[in-house]
Amino acid sequence: QVQLVQSGAEVKKPGASAKVSCKASGGTFTNHVFSWVRQAPGQGLEWMGGIIPVFGTADYAQRFQGRVTITTDESTSTAYLQLNSLSSEDTAMYYCARTQETYQEIGGLPLMDVWGQGTTVTVSS
Amino acid sequence: EIVMTQSPATLSVSPGESAILSCRASQSVYSNLAWYQQKPGQTPRLLIYGASTRATGIPARFIGGGSGTEFTLTISSLQSEDFAVYYCQQYNKWLRGSFGQGTKVEIK
């Protein structure tokens, strides 16, 4: 059974960066689509970006372009989300998610079958 | 980017009744549309993918329909555990997705 385990809660000052990790276990890593989604308090889900580890190149939502970086480390089966220039509006729960099928089976499309438990990032002075 | 619009924002339904949730895409996403359920304090759960295919373990009372730009999620005979927020998500392009703003299904 695939599991995604995310890193712990973070508290950051405005202007700082946050890096959240998502470790996959119980299945293969490199050929699946990983996505990052965030949810501000009391708000809806917001897609941030995605990556397929075997290719290593990520795609991002337009509003995060230039401020977010998604990477993977195949040696540890871990995906990362780094968000720079934090403001109070970035206070949110951040989720990683993964496709059940490989990118070949699903055409690289970011369906989110399996979710991590979420990581709270709080931005406060 | 494809904009997803859900309606209504809130749906008040009595237990045992049916609920119909709508989702509209700003351009065609074919059948690359999923529905997720999220309960307070919980992680979202995949209900429907491919517009109409139920994910593993999802009860038959959850029915997805539509294609192109118009989609629906019908929940027949609502159970107490079905009161939650529902999101649609398009996943029509390589690596790219977007969510609707959600519909809250509450007890009438």
Side-chain angles (χ1 to χ4, degrees), chain A residues 39 47 59 62 108 110 112, chain B residues 1 36 38 43 89 95-97:
Chain A
Q39 186 170 38
W47 179 81
D59 198 6
Q62 208 160 0
M112 299 172 205
Chain B
E1 293 190 341
Y36 300 84
Q38 188 179 33
T43 299
Q89 179 229 347
L95 290 185
R96 287 204 172 186

Side-chain angles (χ1 to χ4, degrees), chain A residues 33-57:
Chain A
V33 181
F34 284 81
S35 301
W36 285 92
V37 174
R38 79 176 186 181
Q39 186 170 38
Q43 303 300 309
L45 303 174
E46 182 174 28
W47 179 81
M48 299 182 71
I51 192 168
I52 301 170
V54 69
F55 296 111
T57 303

Side-chain angles (χ1 to χ4, degrees), chain B residues 3-7 21-33 35 51-52 64-73 88:
Chain B
V3 177
M4 307 301 292
T5 304
Q6 291 186 240
S7 60
L21 289 64
S22 295
C23 174
R24 173 178 290 176
S26 60
Q27 62 188 89
S28 176
V29 297
Y30 302 93
S31 293
N32 296 314
L33 191 285
W35 291 93
S52 60
S67 66
T69 61
E70 301 283 344
F71 301 90
T72 58
L73 174 67
C88 64

Side-chain angles (χ1 to χ4, degrees), chain A:
Chain A
Q1 187 74 3
V2 176
Q3 269 196 315
L4 302 177
V5 178
Q6 298 184 222
S7 50
E10 299 198 18
V11 179
K12 296 291 182 182
K13 297 254 190 262
S17 298
K19 190 169 186 177
V20 180
S21 68
C22 169
K23 184 173 175 60
S25 63
T28 58
F29 179 75
T30 58
N31 291 334
H32 294 267
V33 181
F34 284 81
S35 301
W36 285 92
V37 174
R38 79 176 186 181
Q39 186 170 38
Q43 303 300 309
L45 303 174
E46 182 174 28
W47 179 81
M48 299 182 71
I51 192 168
I52 301 170
V54 69
F55 296 111
T57 303
D59 198 6
Y60 306 108
Q62 208 160 0
R63 64 170 293 184
F64 297 108
Q65 290 273 5
R67 204 163 68 90
V68 67
T69 305
I70 295 174
T71 56
T72 58
D73 182 342
E74 293 182 37
S75 67
T76 59
S77 298
T78 303
Y80 296 93
L81 170 79
Q82 179 165 328
L83 188 60
N84 302 322
S85 303
L86 292 168
S87 72
S88 58
E89 294 180 355
D90 295 313
T91 293
M93 181 74 82
Y94 289 78
Y95 294 102
C96 65
R98 199 206 82 166
T99 54
Q100 192 75 273
E101 296 178 305
T102 65
Y103 80 90
Q104 298 100 320
E105 293 167 324
I106 200 168
L109 305 181
L111 182 63
M112 299 172 205
D113 304 79
V114 184
W115 291 69
Q117 83 277 18
T119 297
T120 301
V121 176
T122 302
V123 184
S124 174
S125 55

